[in-house]
Amino acid sequence: MRIHLGADHAALDTKDALVEHLRAAGHDVVDHGPHSEDPEDDYPVYVLRAAEGVRDEPGSLGIVLGGSGNGEQMAANKVKGVRAALGYTDETARLAREHNNAQILSIGARMNSVEEAKAMADLFVATPSRRPSVTRAASPCSIATRRPASCRPCQTLLADPPWCL
């Protein structure tokens, strides 16, 4: 499995441990950086590279990391066609794939140990999605982006459809 990784300086050590762990498990890992610790780095650069890699290589997955994982998840979700989910337990990592068909797992290195991050990564990669494509339940925002704001289902599901654009 090809897996794209990107992080910020707060998660450099965890990212490097995951790269080594996933390669040892036989995965084709693309490390989008950073490759050295720089508190001035701009995490969206590395996260967006990883998310674009997932978008451009159907069937691949991604893992993005930061201090909490929140900003990285938000940045990855800006890439059209990509679904990123924040994982903070083994269960949320598994459910992100199984129920939400997430392609990218975001992990907070300040919230989880390296061993917990490895376990979440393993579960995420090993879990098949039960949803072959995004459905309304998995992504109401996909409805708003495909239909005009005047569409009745969009008005029913979303108080203000442009929130997800």
Side-chain angles (χ1 to χ4, degrees):
M1 164 81 57
R2 176 161 281 196
I3 305 170
H4 295 268
L5 274 79
D8 76 354
H9 65 276
L12 178 64
D13 292 341
T14 303
K15 177 197 59 90
D16 289 344
L18 281 178
V19 167
E20 184 178 315
H21 174 75
L22 293 167
R23 284 184 176 150
H27 298 290
D28 179 13
V29 177
V30 180
D31 183 353
H32 293 278
H35 302 289
S36 62
E37 188 169 344
D38 180 0
E40 303 284 322
D41 71 11
D42 199 5
Y43 75 83
V45 171
Y46 307 111
V47 170
L48 291 172
R49 286 178 187 161
E52 289 167 349
V54 170
R55 176 201 62 205
D56 295 343
E57 294 184 29
S60 67
L61 296 174
I63 299 172
V64 295
L65 303 104
S68 70
N70 283 307
E72 292 72 21
Q73 176 205 13
M74 289 184 236
N77 276 319
K78 294 289 184 183
V79 176
K80 187 177 174 119
V82 168
R83 289 171 308 286
L86 179 63
Y88 46 93
T89 65
D90 290 350
E91 185 176 16
T92 57
R94 180 183 58 77
L95 290 172
R97 283 289 300 141
E98 186 177 336
H99 289 270
N100 302 114
N101 196 19
Q103 303 143 294
I104 296 178
L105 178 66
S106 185
I107 299 173
R110 292 181 179 144
M111 310 294 134
N112 299 99
S113 70
V114 170
E115 292 308 311
E116 289 169 332
K118 287 178 183 178
M120 284 189 284
D122 288 344
L123 269 171
F124 182 76
V125 170
T127 301
S129 175
R130 291 194 324 196
R131 297 182 186 270
S133 63
V134 179
T135 65
R136 231 166 69 169
S139 180
C141 112
S142 67
I143 293 170
T145 58
R146 287 192 315 247
R147 296 182 181 176
S150 62
C151 175
R152 189 166 205 59
C154 290
Q155 291 172 352
T156 303
L157 286 172
L158 310 169
D160 184 17
W163 70 267
C164 67
L165 302 176

